Amino acid sequence: AQKVTQAQTEISVVEKEDVTLDCVYETRDTTYYLFWYKQPPSGELVFLIRRNSFDEQNEISGRYSWNFQKSTSSFNFTITASQVVDSAVYFCALRGNSGYSTLTFGKGTMLLVSP
Amino acid sequence: EPEVTQTPSHQVTQMGQEVILRCVPISNHLYFYWYRQILGQKVEFLVSFYNNEISEKSEIFDDQFSVERPDGSNFTLKIRSTKLEDSAMYFCASLGQKDQPQHFGDGTRLSIL
């Protein structure tokens, strides 16, 4: 069985602060994929990043960066210099390599960035 | 960039009525999914569809639910007799190759009165 845990239910920061969203996962698959999605108040799911289990290189995209640590089964997401537009719910998700590529989502972390 | 489109964006239905949620996946994709998100909760898998049949389904996907790909482009989710607890956002997704991310539609918000 697969499981994704996002222990932080809600995080509040002031604009320009850095913030890290935690994600811990469990899977028995040896090959798997990890994802982050953003859900703004309008409700759609916006894809942010995909990571393969065999590629532990960290990634940076503008103000966003991701830290994948297989040894601790974590895939954390950091927003540098947060902005009000970053306010959203962020979901971490896992997809194994078996079956039909179903996504297992965490419960999400609501990020509130105030001016 | 190709998109998954879902209609309607919001559906209001009386309890006990049938409802059909529609999705047009990306045209060359092979795998299709429905997910559900009850307000304030996480996104949950309902069903996957491949090669014109259900490939996997969760325990949420009971006999009240069915899926169809009637014409090679649309992918529909039918709820036969809606209950109050079916109120949720329903997301359709499609996937071309297994090493790629799923593409999600913008969702249909279903409200059961």
Side-chain angles (χ1 to χ4, degrees):
Chain A
Q2 297 182 139
K3 187 177 177 182
V4 176
T5 301
Q6 294 180 255
Q8 304 149 309
T9 305
E10 186 174 317
I11 300 175
S12 293
V13 299
V14 177
E15 214 171 12
K16 297 183 185 172
E17 283 185 24
D18 298 348
V19 59
T20 295
L21 310 181
D22 297 334
C23 173
V24 174
Y25 62 92
E26 296 174 31
T27 180
R28 292 181 184 169
D29 288 347
T30 53
T31 302
Y32 49 89
Y33 301 90
L34 295 161
F35 303 82
W36 277 95
Y37 286 88
K38 174 182 179 180
Q39 186 174 45
S42 48
E44 71 272 22
L45 288 169
V46 179
F47 166 73
L48 295 178
I49 190 171
R50 171 186 60 119
R51 213 81 190 114
N52 303 327
S53 55
F54 45 84
D55 180 3
E56 286 195 69
Q57 189 172 2
N58 291 328
E59 184 158 338
I60 298 174
S61 175
R63 296 185 296 108
Y64 295 170
S65 62
W66 290 269
N67 183 359
F68 176 32
Q69 301 233 344
K70 212 166 176 178
S71 59
T72 56
S73 298
S74 65
F75 185 43
N76 296 338
F77 173 30
T78 297
I79 302 175
T80 303
S82 58
Q83 299 175 0
V84 173
V85 293
D86 295 327
S87 296
V89 180
Y90 290 85
F91 290 97
C92 180
L94 167 69
R95 190 174 86 203
N97 206 39
S98 56
Y100 291 90
S101 301
T102 300
L103 280 171
T104 299
F105 285 82
K107 290 185 176 180
T109 297
M110 179 177 287
L111 174 64
L112 299 171
V113 183
S114 53
Chain B
E1 187 177 324
E3 291 182 339
V4 175
T5 56
Q6 289 186 242
T7 54
S9 56
H10 191 188
Q11 173 84 44
V12 181
T13 301
Q14 292 287 332
M15 187 171 60
Q17 296 294 306
E18 175 183 286
V19 66
I20 296 176
L21 309 183
R22 302 181 191 281
C23 169
V24 179
I26 294 173
S27 61
N28 61 348
H29 281 189
L30 301 175
Y31 303 87
F32 312 108
Y33 308 84
W34 283 101
Y35 292 83
R36 180 183 82 174
Q37 184 184 28
I38 293 172
L39 185 64
Q41 298 187 22
K42 70 176 180 179
V43 180
E44 301 173 290
F45 167 71
L46 289 178
V47 64
S48 63
F49 194 84
Y50 172 74
N51 203 24
N52 284 320
E53 60 183 19
I54 291 175
S55 45
E56 278 182 295
K57 59 183 181 179
S58 72
E59 56 191 26
I60 302 169
F61 193 87
D62 61 21
D63 292 344
Q64 297 282 44
F65 292 90
S66 62
V67 289
E68 265 193 330
R69 190 159 158 77
D71 55 12
S73 61
N74 290 287
F75 179 50
T76 61
L77 174 69
K78 182 192 290 185
I79 308 175
R80 189 164 62 236
S81 178
T82 49
K83 300 175 255 197
L84 292 175
E85 53 264 37
D86 294 326
S87 295
M89 180 78 99
Y90 288 80
F91 290 102
C92 173
S94 70
L95 177 69
Q97 296 177 356
K98 283 195 169 190
D99 63 343
Q100 297 299 310
Q102 292 181 8
H103 293 249
F104 281 86
D106 285 347
T108 293
R109 185 170 299 283
L110 177 63
S111 301
I112 307 300
L113 304 178

